[in-house]
Amino acid sequence: RKEVEQDPGPFNVPEGATVAFNCTYSNSASQSFFWYRQDCRKEPKLLMSVYSSGNEDGRFTAQLNRASQYISLLIRDSKLSDSATYLCVVNRRWETGGFKTIFGAGTRLFVKA
Amino acid sequence: NAGVTQTPKFRVLKTGQSMTLLCAQDMNHEYMYWYRQDPGMGLRLIHYSVGEGTTAKGEVPDGYNVSRLKKQNFLLGLESAAPSQTSVYFCASSLRGDNEQFFGPGTRLTVL
């Protein structure tokens, strides 16, 4: 079982729709959480960090549920430009110290006109 | 600031050839990483460095070597390229181990 799991999609939604992605992680010692966005043939870029209290950035809302070990990303009023792959990222401490970053395989989103 | 840069952008190698990928960052970050990305696999960590002069193995280190002689540069070497190393290679850097990582534009490598 992968340490970070995402539904690969693709999610096909019309413009203006609301879409939600979930991501589960298996290690309860995970400490920090992020959503990255990756456009086709480009590098990943940070979309937003995910905080325990939940956080919002414009049309994007991220939530963390430590008890159930999942994080979510909600996109409201989808735009064509939101079409991309969304990567769930989890940081935890290595057993020997330092941090380990684990990337999910990503969820593909296509927003249609 | 250029951020994270990688050279070359594309490369085609024959099996058995060697090459070095260069990553440079101008953000004074301590941590640097090399990943490979294959379809359906997500990003997999090859090697990383927590500071100048240090390197450590990641998830898939076999067939690769790295060096971090200067804080701003992180080199990835393929000693004897194999077709299984055909991939997109991304370099990244971060201020600390639990911070956001900034990625370079990637190197597309094909090994024939």
Side-chain angles (χ1 to χ4, degrees):
Chain A
R1 183 190 171 194
K2 294 180 182 177
E3 189 166 347
V4 175
E5 296 210 70
Q6 297 181 249
D7 180 345
F11 285 64
N12 293 289
V13 303
E15 270 188 298
T18 295
V19 61
F21 308 136
N22 281 337
C23 164
T24 58
Y25 59 95
S26 60
N27 195 312
S28 60
S30 299
Q31 293 188 292
S32 54
F33 308 87
F34 306 88
W35 283 103
Y36 280 68
R37 171 195 169 126
Q38 186 173 23
D39 293 296
C40 188
R41 301 177 75 83
K42 298 282 192 180
E43 71 273 24
K45 293 183 179 178
L46 180 70
L47 178 65
M48 58 197 303
S49 302
V50 186
Y51 303 117
S52 296
S53 55
N55 48 298
E56 190 174 302
D57 183 2
R59 299 181 293 108
F60 300 84
T61 300
Q63 298 265 340
L64 167 62
N65 185 319
R66 286 190 183 271
S68 301
Q69 295 182 201
Y70 76 83
I71 68 174
S72 63
L73 177 68
L74 182 77
I75 305 175
R76 290 181 299 278
D77 188 23
S78 299
K79 311 290 185 192
L80 294 174
S81 57
D82 293 333
S83 297
T85 297
Y86 291 83
L87 307 177
C88 170
V89 182
V90 173
N91 272 340
R92 66 167 171 83
R93 286 205 176 270
W94 283 99
E95 292 75 13
T96 53
F99 282 94
K100 180 177 183 179
T101 302
I102 305 102
F103 286 80
T107 298
R108 297 192 71 186
L109 172 66
F110 293 102
V111 181
K112 306 167 295 184
Chain B
N1 287 350
V4 180
T5 58
Q6 291 182 234
T7 52
K9 288 186 169 49
F10 304 93
R11 186 73 185 269
V12 178
L13 290 178
K14 293 181 180 179
T15 297
Q17 287 184 315
S18 63
M19 76 165 294
T20 300
L21 282 68
L22 171 64
C23 175
Q25 53 95 3
D26 61 2
M27 297 174 282
N28 203 34
H29 284 171
E30 291 294 333
Y31 287 68
M32 296 188 75
Y33 314 82
W34 275 108
Y35 295 93
R36 60 177 290 173
Q37 188 173 39
D38 302 293
M41 300 286 290
L43 287 158
R44 292 185 291 168
L45 184 65
I46 304 171
H47 285 280
Y48 66 100
S49 167
V50 301
E52 180 179 318
T54 74
T55 63
K57 293 181 180 180
E59 184 184 354
V60 289
D62 293 342
Y64 306 94
N65 57 71
V66 287
S67 64
R68 183 115 180 256
L69 299 179
K70 293 183 179 180
K71 186 176 184 178
Q72 63 267 36
N73 295 337
F74 196 29
L75 278 63
L76 177 72
L78 282 72
E79 297 154 345
S80 179
S84 60
Q85 293 178 304
T86 293
S87 188
V88 179
Y89 292 85
F90 286 105
C91 175
S93 71
S94 64
L95 188 61
R96 298 192 316 259
D98 58 346
N99 281 158
E100 169 190 5
Q101 293 185 19
F102 293 82
F103 284 81
T107 295
R108 297 184 180 280
L109 175 67
T110 301
V111 183
L112 302 175

PDB file of all heavy atoms in Angstrom, chain A residues 11 13 20-23 29 31 38 42 49 54 70 73 75-76 83 88 93 98 103 106 112:
ATOM      1  N   PHE A  11     -10.961  13.641 -13.385  1.00  0.00           N
ATOM      2  CA  PHE A  11     -12.210  14.301 -13.082  1.00  0.00           C
ATOM      3  C   PHE A  11     -12.496  15.247 -14.247  1.00  0.00           C
ATOM      4  O   PHE A  11     -11.671  16.097 -14.574  1.00  0.00           O
ATOM      5  CB  PHE A  11     -12.112  15.120 -11.789  1.00  0.00           C
ATOM      6  CG  PHE A  11     -12.111  14.282 -10.538  1.00  0.00           C
ATOM      7  CD1 PHE A  11     -11.091  13.392 -10.265  1.00  0.00           C
ATOM      8  CD2 PHE A  11     -13.131  14.410  -9.606  1.00  0.00           C
ATOM      9  CE1 PHE A  11     -11.093  12.615  -9.107  1.00  0.00           C
ATOM     10  CE2 PHE A  11     -13.138  13.652  -8.447  1.00  0.00           C
ATOM     11  CZ  PHE A  11     -12.124  12.753  -8.197  1.00  0.00           C
ATOM     12  N   VAL A  13     -15.087  18.070 -15.378  1.00  0.00           N
ATOM     13  CA  VAL A  13     -16.149  18.912 -14.843  1.00  0.00           C
ATOM     14  C   VAL A  13     -16.368  20.100 -15.757  1.00  0.00           C
ATOM     15  O   VAL A  13     -15.448  20.531 -16.466  1.00  0.00           O
ATOM     16  CB  VAL A  13     -15.813  19.406 -13.416  1.00  0.00           C
ATOM     17  CG1 VAL A  13     -15.568  18.226 -12.482  1.00  0.00           C
ATOM     18  CG2 VAL A  13     -14.656  20.360 -13.411  1.00  0.00           C
ATOM     19  N   ALA A  20     -14.086  18.263  -5.652  1.00  0.00           N
ATOM     20  CA  ALA A  20     -13.320  17.968  -4.439  1.00  0.00           C
ATOM     21  C   ALA A  20     -12.430  16.753  -4.648  1.00  0.00           C
ATOM     22  O   ALA A  20     -12.851  15.772  -5.264  1.00  0.00           O
ATOM     23  CB  ALA A  20     -14.270  17.718  -3.262  1.00  0.00           C
ATOM     24  N   PHE A  21     -11.215  16.842  -4.135  1.00  0.00           N
ATOM     25  CA  PHE A  21     -10.278  15.724  -4.174  1.00  0.00           C
ATOM     26  C   PHE A  21      -9.937  15.329  -2.744  1.00  0.00           C
ATOM     27  O   PHE A  21      -9.759  16.198  -1.886  1.00  0.00           O
ATOM     28  CB  PHE A  21      -8.958  16.123  -4.858  1.00  0.00           C
ATOM     29  CG  PHE A  21      -9.106  16.749  -6.199  1.00  0.00           C
ATOM     30  CD1 PHE A  21      -8.376  17.871  -6.539  1.00  0.00           C
ATOM     31  CD2 PHE A  21      -9.978  16.223  -7.147  1.00  0.00           C
ATOM     32  CE1 PHE A  21      -8.494  18.452  -7.778  1.00  0.00           C
ATOM     33  CE2 PHE A  21     -10.112  16.802  -8.389  1.00  0.00           C
ATOM     34  CZ  PHE A  21      -9.364  17.925  -8.710  1.00  0.00           C
ATOM     35  N   ASN A  22      -9.788  14.043  -2.543  1.00  0.00           N
ATOM     36  CA  ASN A  22      -9.315  13.557  -1.256  1.00  0.00           C
ATOM     37  C   ASN A  22      -7.980  12.860  -1.415  1.00  0.00           C
ATOM     38  O   ASN A  22      -7.632  12.384  -2.498  1.00  0.00           O
ATOM     39  CB  ASN A  22     -10.309  12.562  -0.649  1.00  0.00           C
ATOM     40  CG  ASN A  22     -11.486  13.260  -0.021  1.00  0.00           C
ATOM     41  OD1 ASN A  22     -11.407  14.427   0.350  1.00  0.00           O
ATOM     42  ND2 ASN A  22     -12.589  12.546   0.091  1.00  0.00           N
ATOM     43  N   CYS A  23      -7.259  12.803  -0.311  1.00  0.00           N
ATOM     44  CA  CYS A  23      -5.968  12.132  -0.300  1.00  0.00           C
ATOM     45  C   CYS A  23      -5.834  11.484   1.076  1.00  0.00           C
ATOM     46  O   CYS A  23      -6.124  12.129   2.085  1.00  0.00           O
ATOM     47  CB  CYS A  23      -4.870  13.179  -0.522  1.00  0.00           C
ATOM     48  SG  CYS A  23      -3.221  12.645  -0.109  1.00  0.00           S
ATOM     49  N   ALA A  29       2.386   9.701  11.998  1.00  0.00           N
ATOM     50  CA  ALA A  29       3.395  10.670  12.427  1.00  0.00           C
ATOM     51  C   ALA A  29       3.589  11.797  11.419  1.00  0.00           C
ATOM     52  O   ALA A  29       4.434  12.669  11.620  1.00  0.00           O
ATOM     53  CB  ALA A  29       4.729   9.943  12.657  1.00  0.00           C
ATOM     54  N   GLN A  31       3.488  15.199   9.563  1.00  0.00           N
ATOM     55  CA  GLN A  31       3.447  16.476  10.284  1.00  0.00           C
ATOM     56  C   GLN A  31       2.989  17.658   9.457  1.00  0.00           C
ATOM     57  O   GLN A  31       2.368  18.564   9.989  1.00  0.00           O
ATOM     58  CB  GLN A  31       4.852  16.771  10.829  1.00  0.00           C
ATOM     59  CG  GLN A  31       5.287  15.802  11.894  1.00  0.00           C
ATOM     60  CD  GLN A  31       6.578  16.242  12.542  1.00  0.00           C
ATOM     61  OE1 GLN A  31       7.611  16.240  11.905  1.00  0.00           O
ATOM     62  NE2 GLN A  31       6.513  16.616  13.808  1.00  0.00           N
ATOM     63  N   GLN A  38       0.451  20.575 -10.866  1.00  0.00           N
ATOM     64  CA  GLN A  38       1.405  20.307 -11.937  1.00  0.00           C
ATOM     65  C   GLN A  38       0.684  20.369 -13.269  1.00  0.00           C
ATOM     66  O   GLN A  38      -0.224  19.572 -13.534  1.00  0.00           O
ATOM     67  CB  GLN A  38       2.094  18.951 -11.764  1.00  0.00           C
ATOM     68  CG  GLN A  38       3.191  18.712 -12.778  1.00  0.00           C
ATOM     69  CD  GLN A  38       3.996  17.458 -12.519  1.00  0.00           C
ATOM     70  OE1 GLN A  38       3.540  16.526 -11.870  1.00  0.00           O
ATOM     71  NE2 GLN A  38       5.238  17.430 -13.025  1.00  0.00           N
ATOM     72  N   LYS A  42       5.195  20.229 -17.098  1.00  0.00           N
ATOM     73  CA  LYS A  42       5.812  21.302 -16.318  1.00  0.00           C
ATOM     74  C   LYS A  42       6.186  20.761 -14.942  1.00  0.00           C
ATOM     75  O   LYS A  42       5.834  19.647 -14.577  1.00  0.00           O
ATOM     76  CB  LYS A  42       4.841  22.465 -16.154  1.00  0.00           C
ATOM     77  CG  LYS A  42       4.434  23.117 -17.455  1.00  0.00           C
ATOM     78  CD  LYS A  42       5.511  24.028 -17.966  1.00  0.00           C
ATOM     79  CE  LYS A  42       4.997  24.888 -19.103  1.00  0.00           C
ATOM     80  NZ  LYS A  42       6.039  25.795 -19.610  1.00  0.00           N
ATOM     81  N   SER A  49      -0.542  25.245   1.403  1.00  0.00           N
ATOM     82  CA  SER A  49      -0.281  24.391   2.556  1.00  0.00           C
ATOM     83  C   SER A  49      -1.625  24.025   3.173  1.00  0.00           C
ATOM     84  O   SER A  49      -2.631  24.691   2.927  1.00  0.00           O
ATOM     85  CB  SER A  49       0.575  25.120   3.579  1.00  0.00           C
ATOM     86  OG  SER A  49       1.795  25.533   3.002  1.00  0.00           O
ATOM     87  N   GLY A  54      -7.967  24.044   8.778  1.00  0.00           N
ATOM     88  CA  GLY A  54      -8.510  24.287   7.445  1.00  0.00           C
ATOM     89  C   GLY A  54      -8.112  25.667   6.972  1.00  0.00           C
ATOM     90  O   GLY A  54      -7.935  26.582   7.775  1.00  0.00           O
ATOM     91  N   TYR A  70      -6.737  11.972   6.409  1.00  0.00           N
ATOM     92  CA  TYR A  70      -6.899  12.383   5.020  1.00  0.00           C
ATOM     93  C   TYR A  70      -6.881  13.897   4.920  1.00  0.00           C
ATOM     94  O   TYR A  70      -7.159  14.612   5.891  1.00  0.00           O
ATOM     95  CB  TYR A  70      -8.161  11.796   4.388  1.00  0.00           C
ATOM     96  CG  TYR A  70      -9.462  12.436   4.774  1.00  0.00           C
ATOM     97  CD1 TYR A  70      -9.927  13.591   4.139  1.00  0.00           C
ATOM     98  CD2 TYR A  70     -10.277  11.867   5.762  1.00  0.00           C
ATOM     99  CE1 TYR A  70     -11.126  14.172   4.481  1.00  0.00           C
ATOM    100  CE2 TYR A  70     -11.482  12.440   6.105  1.00  0.00           C
ATOM    101  CZ  TYR A  70     -11.903  13.590   5.464  1.00  0.00           C
ATOM    102  OH  TYR A  70     -13.094  14.159   5.813  1.00  0.00           O
ATOM    103  N   LEU A  73      -9.069  18.825  -0.930  1.00  0.00           N
ATOM    104  CA  LEU A  73      -8.972  20.088  -1.657  1.00  0.00           C
ATOM    105  C   LEU A  73     -10.288  20.317  -2.363  1.00  0.00           C
ATOM    106  O   LEU A  73     -10.756  19.445  -3.097  1.00  0.00           O
ATOM    107  CB  LEU A  73      -7.832  20.039  -2.689  1.00  0.00           C
ATOM    108  CG  LEU A  73      -7.675  21.284  -3.551  1.00  0.00           C
ATOM    109  CD1 LEU A  73      -7.206  22.468  -2.707  1.00  0.00           C
ATOM    110  CD2 LEU A  73      -6.678  21.019  -4.683  1.00  0.00           C
ATOM    111  N   ILE A  75     -12.324  22.895  -4.914  1.00  0.00           N
ATOM    112  CA  ILE A  75     -12.201  23.991  -5.880  1.00  0.00           C
ATOM    113  C   ILE A  75     -13.606  24.431  -6.254  1.00  0.00           C
ATOM    114  O   ILE A  75     -14.400  23.630  -6.770  1.00  0.00           O
ATOM    115  CB  ILE A  75     -11.434  23.548  -7.149  1.00  0.00           C
ATOM    116  CG1 ILE A  75     -10.071  22.972  -6.788  1.00  0.00           C
ATOM    117  CG2 ILE A  75     -11.282  24.737  -8.103  1.00  0.00           C
ATOM    118  CD1 ILE A  75      -9.307  22.401  -7.982  1.00  0.00           C
ATOM    119  N   ARG A  76     -13.901  25.683  -5.984  1.00  0.00           N
ATOM    120  CA  ARG A  76     -15.216  26.227  -6.332  1.00  0.00           C
ATOM    121  C   ARG A  76     -15.119  27.019  -7.628  1.00  0.00           C
ATOM    122  O   ARG A  76     -14.050  27.539  -7.987  1.00  0.00           O
ATOM    123  CB  ARG A  76     -15.713  27.166  -5.224  1.00  0.00           C
ATOM    124  CG  ARG A  76     -16.089  26.472  -3.928  1.00  0.00           C
ATOM    125  CD  ARG A  76     -16.583  27.499  -2.901  1.00  0.00           C
ATOM    126  NE  ARG A  76     -15.535  28.460  -2.593  1.00  0.00           N
ATOM    127  CZ  ARG A  76     -14.551  28.248  -1.725  1.00  0.00           C
ATOM    128  NH1 ARG A  76     -14.491  27.091  -1.081  1.00  0.00           N
ATOM    129  NH2 ARG A  76     -13.649  29.169  -1.478  1.00  0.00           N
ATOM    130  N   SER A  83      -7.453  23.250 -15.046  1.00  0.00           N
ATOM    131  CA  SER A  83      -7.112  21.933 -15.586  1.00  0.00           C
ATOM    132  C   SER A  83      -5.632  21.662 -15.338  1.00  0.00           C
ATOM    133  O   SER A  83      -4.768  22.421 -15.789  1.00  0.00           O
ATOM    134  CB  SER A  83      -7.400  21.878 -17.083  1.00  0.00           C
ATOM    135  OG  SER A  83      -8.774  22.045 -17.327  1.00  0.00           O
ATOM    136  N   CYS A  88      -0.964  15.577  -3.870  1.00  0.00           N
ATOM    137  CA  CYS A  88      -1.042  15.617  -2.410  1.00  0.00           C
ATOM    138  C   CYS A  88       0.365  15.318  -1.869  1.00  0.00           C
ATOM    139  O   CYS A  88       1.010  14.369  -2.334  1.00  0.00           O
ATOM    140  CB  CYS A  88      -2.042  14.549  -1.972  1.00  0.00           C
ATOM    141  SG  CYS A  88      -2.113  14.215  -0.227  1.00  0.00           S
ATOM    142  N   ARG A  93       8.770  12.829   9.783  1.00  0.00           N
ATOM    143  CA  ARG A  93      10.166  12.630  10.175  1.00  0.00           C
ATOM    144  C   ARG A  93      10.617  11.233   9.789  1.00  0.00           C
ATOM    145  O   ARG A  93       9.876  10.261   9.918  1.00  0.00           O
ATOM    146  CB  ARG A  93      10.326  12.831  11.677  1.00  0.00           C
ATOM    147  CG  ARG A  93      10.265  14.294  12.080  1.00  0.00           C
ATOM    148  CD  ARG A  93      11.015  14.545  13.382  1.00  0.00           C
ATOM    149  NE  ARG A  93      11.034  15.961  13.705  1.00  0.00           N
ATOM    150  CZ  ARG A  93      11.986  16.789  13.307  1.00  0.00           C
ATOM    151  NH1 ARG A  93      13.005  16.350  12.605  1.00  0.00           N
ATOM    152  NH2 ARG A  93      11.950  18.064  13.635  1.00  0.00           N
ATOM    153  N   GLY A  98      15.547  14.068  10.544  1.00  0.00           N
ATOM    154  CA  GLY A  98      15.300  14.716   9.264  1.00  0.00           C
ATOM    155  C   GLY A  98      13.874  14.483   8.820  1.00  0.00           C
ATOM    156  O   GLY A  98      13.075  13.849   9.507  1.00  0.00           O
ATOM    157  N   PHE A 103       5.164  12.258  -2.092  1.00  0.00           N
ATOM    158  CA  PHE A 103       4.235  12.815  -3.077  1.00  0.00           C
ATOM    159  C   PHE A 103       3.227  11.749  -3.482  1.00  0.00           C
ATOM    160  O   PHE A 103       3.601  10.618  -3.788  1.00  0.00           O
ATOM    161  CB  PHE A 103       4.990  13.275  -4.325  1.00  0.00           C
ATOM    162  CG  PHE A 103       5.766  14.545  -4.142  1.00  0.00           C
ATOM    163  CD1 PHE A 103       7.002  14.539  -3.514  1.00  0.00           C
ATOM    164  CD2 PHE A 103       5.256  15.756  -4.595  1.00  0.00           C
ATOM    165  CE1 PHE A 103       7.710  15.710  -3.349  1.00  0.00           C
ATOM    166  CE2 PHE A 103       5.962  16.932  -4.430  1.00  0.00           C
ATOM    167  CZ  PHE A 103       7.191  16.907  -3.813  1.00  0.00           C
ATOM    168  N   GLY A 106      -1.020  11.885  -7.838  1.00  0.00           N
ATOM    169  CA  GLY A 106      -1.743  12.978  -8.468  1.00  0.00           C
ATOM    170  C   GLY A 106      -3.131  12.619  -8.932  1.00  0.00           C
ATOM    171  O   GLY A 106      -3.430  11.459  -9.241  1.00  0.00           O
ATOM    172  N   LYS A 112     -14.078  21.682 -18.544  1.00  0.00           N
ATOM    173  CA  LYS A 112     -14.548  21.873 -19.913  1.00  0.00           C
ATOM    174  C   LYS A 112     -15.410  23.121 -20.028  1.00  0.00           C
ATOM    175  O   LYS A 112     -16.148  23.451 -19.105  1.00  0.00           O
ATOM    176  CB  LYS A 112     -15.370  20.657 -20.340  1.00  0.00           C
ATOM    177  CG  LYS A 112     -14.675  19.327 -20.183  1.00  0.00           C
ATOM    178  CD  LYS A 112     -15.657  18.175 -20.320  1.00  0.00           C
ATOM    179  CE  LYS A 112     -16.675  18.188 -19.199  1.00  0.00           C
ATOM    180  NZ  LYS A 112     -17.594  17.012 -19.272  1.00  0.00           N
TER     181      LYS A 112
END
